[in-house]
């Protein structure tokens, strides 16, 4: 599985609304980021040209290079508690079906499937070292639709999609 990060998944307005809801669950949450992640199942390693073509196909959305984030503490990008929201294992999302078809029509036969998820990063206020498990589960519940999505705590667990 290959992971290709994309653009911001949520607008600043939606991030601000989400942050307010997350703070109701745990006041120590000082910021949140949301970035699209593309999970690519490959038959073989891609050549440099194929990799470039795939990255070009997966470049969409806002052209702003920054990740949509809301943060009162001014935390560093990429820091915080990661939570990956992905389609439920055992399913193939409609987005994946179309994206995979497009990649293969563009000559990327090595691509078996492309799925899209969102990587959320929950930043904590200074002095907070970790979220207690009940608050982490409550925060995760706000980030996904449990009927169609799953929440993973690490990138490697996303391989279960394939």
């Amino acid at each position: 599985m290959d992971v290709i990060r994309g653009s911001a998944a949520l607008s600043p307005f939606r991030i601000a609304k989400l942050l307010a809801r997350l703070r109701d669950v745990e006041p120590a949450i000082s910021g949140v980021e949301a970035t699209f992640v593309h999970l690519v199942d490959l038959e073989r390693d891609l050549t440099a040209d194929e990799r470039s073509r795939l990255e070009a196909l997966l470049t969409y959305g806002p052209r702003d290079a920054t990740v949509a984030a809301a943060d009162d503490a001014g935390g560093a990008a990429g820091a915080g508690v990661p939570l990956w929201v992905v389609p439920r294992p055992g399913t193939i999302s409609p987005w994946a079906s179309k994206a995979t078809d497009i990649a293969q029509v563009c000559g990327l036969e090595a691509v078996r499937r492309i799925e899209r998820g969102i990587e959320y990063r929950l930043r904590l206020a200074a002095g907070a070292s970790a979220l207690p498990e009940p608050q982490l589960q409550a925060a995760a519940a706000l980030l996904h639709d449990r009927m169609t999505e799953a929440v993973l705590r690490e990138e490697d667990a996303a391989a279960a999609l394939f």
Side-chain angles (χ1 to χ4, degrees):
M1 179 185 78
D2 201 3
V3 177
I4 299 174
R5 283 175 166 62
S7 62
L10 301 175
S11 69
F13 174 77
R14 288 186 65 198
I15 285 283
K17 282 181 63 174
L18 177 59
L19 179 58
R21 292 180 66 208
L22 288 167
R23 283 193 175 139
D24 288 342
V25 168
E26 176 54 60
I29 297 174
S30 66
V32 61
E33 298 175 8
T35 308
F36 281 123
V37 288
H38 304 95
L39 311 164
V40 185
D41 185 30
L42 299 167
E43 289 181 12
R44 60 171 170 76
D45 288 339
L46 298 176
T47 66
D49 177 58
E50 289 172 326
R51 175 80 181 186
S52 175
R53 227 176 320 151
L54 180 59
E55 287 176 353
L57 283 173
L58 297 176
T59 301
Y60 55 87
R63 297 296 179 214
D64 184 4
T66 62
V67 174
D71 187 1
D72 287 343
V81 178
L83 292 172
W84 288 55
V85 174
V86 298
R88 286 176 63 128
T91 65
I92 299 175
S93 71
W95 188 95
S97 297
K98 194 61 162 171
T100 303
D101 287 348
I102 291 169
Q104 291 174 346
V105 165
C106 290
L108 298 169
E109 293 87 14
V111 173
R112 280 192 212 124
R113 188 166 124 213
I114 305 171
E115 276 291 356
R116 180 174 73 172
I118 298 175
E119 179 186 28
Y120 290 93
R121 291 245 171 213
L122 307 179
R123 289 195 301 275
L124 305 178
S129 60
L131 282 177
E133 187 62 27
Q135 283 83 350
L136 187 59
Q137 289 181 9
L142 294 174
L143 302 177
H144 79 295
D145 174 354
R146 66 188 182 121
M147 296 299 288
T148 60
E149 297 172 319
V151 177
L152 309 174
R153 296 202 184 167
E154 54 190 48
E155 180 177 319
D156 293 341
L161 292 173
F162 307 113

